[in-house]
Amino acid sequence: SLICQSNGVIWHANEPARLMFNTHDPQGVAIGTYLSFFDSLNKIENPRLSWGDVISATSFRNERKNVDGVGTNAAGDRFPVAISIVRIQQQNSSTNSGQATSSEDQEAPEGFDYLFCLYIRKMIPARMELSSLEEKVARYSATRDAILRSSDQALAVVDSAGIIREVSSDLAEMFGYEDENQLTNRHIDFLLQGKGSHYLEKELSSAEVQLVKKNGVQINVRVVSSMIPPTEGASDIGTAITFKMVSKKGNPQCQENRNGHNSYASGELPKTKNATAGILDASFDSLFVMTEQCTIEMVNKTSCDMFGWTEEEFIGQNIRMIMTSEVATNHDDYVSRYLETGIKKMMGTQREVVAQRKDGSTFPCVLGLSKCKESGLICGFIRDLTSEKKSQAVILEKERELFNKETQLIKKHTEAKTILNDLVKNQSVVMGILDASFHSLFVIDDHCIIHMVNKKSCEDFGWTKEEFLGRNISMIMTPDVAANHDQFMKNYLSTGIKKMIGTQRQVTARRKDGSTFPCTLGLSETPNGEFYCGFIRDLTQQKKSESEMLEKNKELIRNESLVRGILDASSHALFVIDERCTIKMVNDRSCEVFGWTKEEFLGNNINMIMPAHIAMHHDQYMKNFLKTGIKKMIGTQREVTACRKDGTTFPCMLDLSEAKGSGLICGFIRDRTNQKVAEMALAKKNKSLQEKQDIMAGILDASFHALFVINEKCIIQMVNEKSCVVFGWRKDEFIGKNINMIMPSDIAVHHDQYMKQYLETGVKRMIGTQREVTAQRKDGTTFPCVLGLSETQQSGMICGFIRDLTEEKAHEAKIIEKQLAAEKLSCDLEANQGIIMGILDAAFHALFVID
């Protein structure tokens, strides 16, 4: 199929069309390059149609029409085709812009244009039928020449003007010419000594005349002419003229004919039975010669082959032996009626009848009858129509199939027209969606020609859409890849093996300025297989990040030994175990504390460092945790009793944590033997310091702040548990509400306007700072707090942390009251500084004292 514009320019061709015309891509080429149009190739007079004639509005019925044509491929080969054309109306657009126009352009209705879909089918059966017909004509011509030679006759066929159009080879020889071409296209008077008009356009004419050969020798010739009736489609009436040399007494040149056979005296019956049999046997049709009583006198070889009887079985039998029973019963009556009345019903006509073979089978045939006036014999020719009937049935079935296919095509085209209209309507929406993509988009055909790009493609590569469209996709590739890309596509089309399609692969792309960049290419094929879509994601920033990450990883690898050294230098024992409680790692301190070597630790169960009454249950504790997920020890610190290699036990602090994703559990063990003594001394001598530590711990526990995440419309997207505790609302009451719900009314009424001003100007007044504000709880009470705002880079969300200052405000007063007591305590601490600092330096936790 081809889709053409009304100006005769090809807009699209499918793969079968490209193969038929042996062209890579005919888009933009005039339709006349590949097709010539005719009303019908079967007509003798068949003028060529112009493209304007083809698409004439009055020639379409229900937007469809059929014409014949002659196709021409790129190699110059010509072939007959049948063409079905469907006209599709569409709104005027820029379809014709930039295309060549034809002198045969047809003006479309105002506001509309047309596309014409041409379905083209090679007329292979017609060509085969034509070849078969030419073969039959050649055989009939050979049979005719054989008949003429056998009867010592030569033939000339002249038209109504008396011009010789065809001669037999024997005619040229009879008159002494080397080639029959020397006689054609000349007037018949040339041979008949100016008396040619006597023989033209007459039913039957016969005479013996004396003519002259090329060398001047006179010959006696019998000339018989017969008019050739006009055939369908031709108005010219021709004449067939036969020439036969006859002998005259005293004329030595006529004593023997030109083929060396004896000539016969005037009135003598020629004995040509063998020659006649040869002529009849050369016929393609069955021949029967019978008497008026319907007795068979002669048959040819074809009759025997066609009916199955031998010549001996035919001769002397009634002709009804080859008829079906219902016809044979009345046949003799038909003949008797003809002999009595002389009315010809079958004689001189051709009629389709049914014949019967020797085996009883029947077949359709054409019967032609004629009667010889001199002898009274009746001649009948029978032509078997079996093959023709089968061919007609096949052709009829194919026509039905073609009609069904055309009906389906009409339905599909109606659907396609609807889809096309929908696509036109939604084109701007689709392009808007594609242009909003974060990745570059390219749509190419199977010749690698770009048909569509989006806005991101132009931004990433530097070309405009107009520079992209119609060019090969290799323009965005590096030279080493571009040189082979078309071959890659051909390999896929020929083998169907998908190497890139349906996958994502990292490649290198090239911009208009020649610079290259890494990217990820994802390819997919459209369902109809005509186009391929590719999305390209620029990896420049990702590669930069990966490079930085790789450098960091290298730094980590370089520091691995240092990390291990730090772990080994730790004052606490370290154990790493898996889910089966098998020890995977220990540090040097573990070996010092427990007395085993690293080799003795690794691969053994961790219960080896536990007292027996705990070790016997430990594996079950681990199974319970893995089954329920309930953490009893993990994430906590607990004082337990550990067992050394020598069997002694000691108190220790166990701190467990789970390495997420690895399935490993890390445990730090701190020997508390000496700490116990120090803690007792510290508890007695530094009670006031412990109280300050308790206050600091309380402050640290209160360091969890309320969190709010809002979008650009100030709608709450996320809160934490502390927000619910601080403000009194549940999470589901927060989500989807405006953030001004936690503000006093005098601030809340202006907050959305503050956000709009920031979005319009980009000036940050609150974001990136901390400011003390007043917040409002669900119960309407207000409280002072510190608000810190930050903006996420990618999502455009704004995060706010709110720290309640209520307790801090209360503590400020208390701190002032206790300053005097602290100064006094400071004097006491200075007096005992040496002892206290020793105790503090031995503490397990880091200590900070601030004012």
Side-chain angles (χ1 to χ4, degrees), residues 760-781:
E760 292 174 357
T761 65
V763 178
K764 300 179 180 179
R765 296 183 177 180
M766 289 287 290
I767 294 175
T769 66
Q770 290 188 359
R771 185 176 295 183
E772 186 173 330
V773 297
T774 301
Q776 180 175 294
R777 301 184 184 90
K778 182 177 182 180
D779 59 8
T781 60

Side-chain angles (χ1 to χ4, degrees), residues 712-729:
E712 295 177 346
K713 296 182 178 179
C714 303
I715 303 303
I716 300 172
Q717 305 295 312
M718 182 187 297
V719 297
N720 63 356
E721 291 292 341
K722 190 65 177 177
S723 302
C724 301
V725 174
V726 170
F727 287 91
W729 281 286

